[in-house]
Amino acid sequence: MVNRSKKPLRPLMNIPLKESPGLFKQFIESASEAFVLLDENLTCLSINQAGARLLGMPQSELIGKNILDVVPDVKKSGRYDKYMNVIKTGEPFYSDELIPSPKFGDKRLTVKAFKVGAGLGMIVDDVTERKKTEDALRHSEEFFRAVTENALDGITVLDMNGKIAYVSPSVKHILGYKQDELIGTDYFFISHPNEILQDSKLFDNLTQISTFNTRTESMVKHKNGSWRIVEAVANPVSRNGIVDGIVINWRDITERRRIEEELRSLSSYLQQAREQERALIARQIHDELGQALTAFKMDLAWLNHRLNAEQEPLLKKTRAMLELTDKAIQTVRTLSSELSPKLIEDLGLEAALDWLTEEFQNRTGIECKLTLKSKDIALEPERATAVFRIFQEALTNIARHANATKVKVSLRETDSKFVFRIVDNGKGITREQVSNPRSFGLMGMRERARFCGGEVEITGSQDKGTAVIVRIPLNKEEPR
């Protein structure tokens, strides 16, 4: 804006007090601190609005009152002597203390007293709430520092260059390093060579505030040269929308992964042993019991052919025994097939699943339709058996719990994976049932799929049924 007045404007600081008494009065009246002017006997000559609010009285009532009448504890506290010393010597007095007052309550005040003429000028600031806030922040900082310093998990703060700005003392028992051995170093110094690119991309994303609560599982280097598996959660630290660091909380899960791997190996061994035992029992049932029943049937047929019409009661009896023997032979075949799906070896997985579908439908009366969207799906015997067992368990669960009338089953190949989908129209499985640790059948399904490098997804909708989706890699992968 252009100044068009004839006289040039002067800075406020250069305006003499005598030329602007109203301006300074307005400044003092609008100040948040209390301004008080007392005479040599500490009688109030002038006080601004902030001072009146602090003392809890109107300005008009305070003018002419002695400060000792308004705040009686001034003399008892020893501040009276200090104020009088200012008037006597002219040496300013400053205090920052908690002032107890029965009338006004305990307040934290900063007071500056200085000589004005023959009397005393005072500037008083009520910093009670500010001090409370500062104390709360200090206590909060101390609390969180104590939590951080004593955390069992590792806590790391990175600057914008990927340098370690802070690392908790727990790093010592996790990675063997002391704090000062890592602070200032590049975080990727402890990253596994195969994961540096992945960690770099994650760091870049975090610095752009494009992701929060990012969970990763990675390898970090121990001081002795070994590698530890850690589970980490990373978040950007920002001020006013600008990222100025990354905080990473990580937990050493090396031992947990080792135990999981041992349990998985044990589970795999037990499954293989169980399948071998089933195959042995199936062969014994098929070869011994099946052959015995076949021989028995042949003897019954031989006897039946040698009976004449006059021996009708015996003919009737032998015919009933033949029918019962046929049912027993069929039961033996079914048991043998369920115990060890030899059909997989003889005719392939599709034929075995087709047979299981037909058996389920005949036994339960539940309509079961199998749709093959791929032909000649090639899975190794172990994984083919795993798929058969998962299907078997899924059908068993449907028969026991679903109250379903229809089941749709589909098989297809996609993205180098074998995808197996089982959907029923029953009451629907709940989330609690899916996550129940005592649902051993569901756990067994997941474990079989995991051992093959695959996964089982189970979802349900109330009164709309349950869907079980099995994904198994066509190429053999390591168990996850």
Side-chain angles (χ1 to χ4, degrees), residues 69-136:
D69 296 329
V70 180
V71 188
D73 62 330
V74 166
K75 203 160 191 175
K76 295 178 183 179
S77 67
R79 294 192 300 278
Y80 172 79
D81 294 335
K82 294 176 181 177
Y83 297 155
M84 296 307 294
N85 186 63
V86 173
I87 295 174
K88 182 179 178 181
T89 66
E91 184 178 345
F93 163 69
Y94 177 82
S95 70
D96 179 2
E97 57 185 324
L98 182 66
I99 300 178
S101 170
K103 183 176 181 180
F104 304 111
D106 293 352
K107 290 183 178 295
R108 187 68 178 261
L109 305 177
T110 60
V111 180
K112 185 171 184 180
F114 48 92
K115 189 172 182 179
V116 178
L120 185 71
M122 298 177 67
I123 302 175
V124 185
D125 190 11
D126 184 354
V127 295
T128 308
E129 293 303 319
R130 189 173 73 200
K131 289 294 184 181
K132 286 181 180 179
T133 302
E134 290 175 355
D135 290 344

Side-chain angles (χ1 to χ4, degrees), residues 40-56:
E40 63 272 19
N41 298 314
L42 302 188
T43 298
C44 182
L45 301 177
S46 176
I47 187 169
N48 67 349
Q49 294 179 13
R53 285 195 300 270
L54 180 64
L55 295 174

Side-chain angles (χ1 to χ4, degrees), residues 170-340:
S170 53
V171 73
K172 173 68 177 176
H173 71 262
I174 298 175
L175 296 180
Y177 295 98
K178 295 179 182 178
Q179 287 177 283
D180 56 7
E181 291 179 304
L182 288 178
I183 292 176
T185 63
D186 197 308
Y187 177 74
F188 303 114
F189 160 72
I190 60 173
S191 294
H192 193 280
N194 296 338
E195 297 177 351
I196 288 179
L197 181 60
Q198 168 191 308
D199 292 345
S200 298
K201 289 181 178 178
L202 174 60
F203 181 82
D204 291 341
N205 289 336
L206 288 165
T207 56
Q208 300 299 320
I209 324 186
S210 59
T211 181
F212 291 87
N213 287 325
T214 303
R215 293 181 176 272
T216 61
E217 188 174 304
S218 57
M219 305 277 285
V220 291
K221 188 177 183 180
H222 194 279
K223 188 176 181 179
N224 63 16
S226 64
W227 294 96
R228 309 294 292 178
I229 305 172
V230 299
E231 184 179 58
V233 179
N235 280 290
V237 179
S238 61
R239 297 179 188 177
N240 301 320
I242 300 175
V243 177
D244 58 6
I246 307 294
V247 61
I248 304 173
N249 294 67
W250 42 277
R251 174 172 296 179
D252 186 357
I253 59 171
T254 308
E255 188 64 15
R256 188 175 81 190
R257 284 286 178 263
R258 184 188 66 78
I259 294 173
E260 288 176 354
E261 187 60 34
E262 289 181 355
L263 289 175
R264 191 169 291 115
S265 297
L266 176 61
S267 175
S268 173
Y269 170 77
L270 292 175
Q271 285 183 17
Q272 291 176 1
R274 188 160 54 244
E275 289 297 338
Q276 291 173 359
E277 187 66 22
R278 283 176 168 176
L280 176 61
I281 294 172
R283 282 196 300 272
Q284 291 175 337
I285 290 175
H286 182 273
D287 295 345
E288 297 180 17
L289 183 56
Q291 289 177 8
L293 286 172
T294 300
F296 183 63
K297 178 182 177 181
M298 292 174 64
D299 288 344
L300 280 175
W302 180 86
L303 180 61
N304 182 266
H305 287 311
R306 280 158 179 73
L307 294 174
N308 54 47
E310 296 177 356
Q311 299 172 299
E312 181 58 28
L314 291 175
L315 285 170
K316 186 176 180 181
K317 189 67 174 177
T318 55
R319 284 195 293 268
M321 292 177 67
L322 283 168
E323 291 178 3
L324 186 60
T325 302
D326 283 335
K327 290 181 180 179
I329 292 173
Q330 183 58 41
T331 299
V332 165
R333 289 174 179 171
T334 300
L335 284 174
S336 178
S337 297
E338 289 183 349
L339 281 169
S340 181

Side-chain angles (χ1 to χ4, degrees), residues 29 60 75 86 112 143 183 188 273 287 372 382 399 439 450:
E29 280 297 316
S60 58
K75 203 160 191 175
V86 173
K112 185 171 184 180
F143 170 75
I183 292 176
F188 303 114
D287 295 345
L372 299 176
E382 288 183 0
S439 297
R450 193 178 294 115

